[in-house]
Amino acid sequence: MVRDSGATVAEQIEIRRLSPPELREQLDALAAVLHDCVAGGASVSYMEPFSHQEALTAFEGFAAEAEQGRRLILAAFADGELVGTVQVILALPPNQPHRGEIAKLLVHRSARGRGVARLLMERAEAEARAEGKTLLVLDAVTGGDAARLYDRLGWTTVGVIPNYALYPDGRPCDTTYFWKAL
Ligand SMILES: CC(C)(COP(=O)(O)OP(=O)(O)OC[C@H]1O[C@@H](n2cnc3c(N)ncnc32)[C@H](O)[C@@H]1OP(=O)(O)O)[C@@H](O)C(=O)NCCC(=O)NCCS
């Protein structure tokens, strides 16, 4: 059973903000989650064919930014195994110091439907607030699993942009923009 307020559930799901050394240790596991999500058809920037090595390269870039304080990366562990992740982009133009962006909310297909993404998002919002952010924005495939989650978590829909991005197999998808004041 998921407890709303905590980062731990009965199934031993723990949310952690990854420090630079921990990020390096977990790069392969983070890449595995991204690779699984793209293999499952998620529209999260990448196209098929998408290899584990390409996923690793992507997370090496995110880790480098995290080390510079430009983004933060959270991970969800189920019984000690990394099953999900989310990022908060902190480095935005000088006239938007109060704003952050949520990116790459990813949960391995084997761990879905247990509230992992909800826990990740709640913690991402708390971490963003602790960094002095008062406004977050994000975008998601219109009508998808993530968009439903953002609705449930109190995010406000801005609108839909048709044909904004592609699924990994090349089909176009609409995108919905959301915002939330912290
Ligand atoms: C979107 C995504 C992150 C959701 O991850 P998740 O961990 O499965 O999310 P949750 O478990 O919090 O919620 C998923 C569903 O499980 C339900 N759920 C949560 N905890 C539950 C529990 N303990 N028992 C039963 N159902 C539960 C939720 O109500 C939700 O139901 P819905 O599908 O009817 O809306 C995941 O599907 C994913 O990684 N997709 C691919 C990548 C992607 O698209 N990312 C978003 C980029 S914007």
Side-chain angles (χ1 to χ4, degrees):
M1 188 180 72
V2 176
R3 282 204 306 259
D4 276 343
S5 57
T8 305
V9 300
E11 298 167 277
Q12 300 295 320
I13 291 166
E14 184 197 1
I15 309 296
R16 284 209 302 273
R17 177 174 174 168
L18 299 179
S19 64
E22 209 177 2
L23 260 174
R24 293 284 154 197
E25 267 168 39
Q26 296 294 343
L27 272 180
D28 206 57
L30 289 161
V33 171
L34 172 58
H35 184 253
D36 178 74
C37 287
V38 174
S43 174
V44 287
S45 304
Y46 307 101
M47 302 297 290
E48 290 283 14
F50 183 66
S51 66
H52 180 83
Q53 183 55 49
E54 286 171 299
L56 196 55
T57 301
F59 262 99
E60 282 167 351
F62 301 144
E65 285 212 15
E67 281 168 12
Q68 296 163 14
R70 299 175 62 80
R71 65 175 71 203
L72 59 87
I73 303 180
L74 307 182
F77 296 85
D79 296 326
E81 186 188 346
L82 194 153
V83 295
T85 180
V86 70
Q87 303 180 20
V88 184
I89 298 172
L90 302 170
L92 290 174
N95 70 340
Q96 298 157 47
H98 57 292
R99 190 168 77 76
E101 290 180 7
I102 299 284
K104 301 287 174 286
L105 173 67
L106 306 165
V107 174
H108 195 281
R109 282 176 290 178
S110 64
R112 290 187 190 165
R114 291 153 54 181
V116 173
R118 182 190 182 103
L119 289 173
L120 280 165
M121 284 301 296
E122 289 172 346
R123 181 68 177 274
E125 291 175 21
E127 293 284 343
R129 240 185 336 262
E131 294 284 340
K133 302 297 184 184
T134 54
L135 177 66
L136 289 176
V137 301
L138 61 77
D139 64 82
V141 171
T142 302
D145 295 342
R148 269 198 311 285
L149 173 74
Y150 304 138
D151 276 337
R152 276 199 302 278
L153 292 178
W155 287 69
T156 301
T157 298
V158 180
V160 176
I161 304 177
N163 295 323
Y164 184 85
L166 301 177
Y167 289 108
D169 64 6
R171 286 174 300 122
C173 56
D174 299 349
T175 290
T176 301
Y177 267 83
F178 293 85
W179 64 271
K180 188 169 184 177
L182 300 177

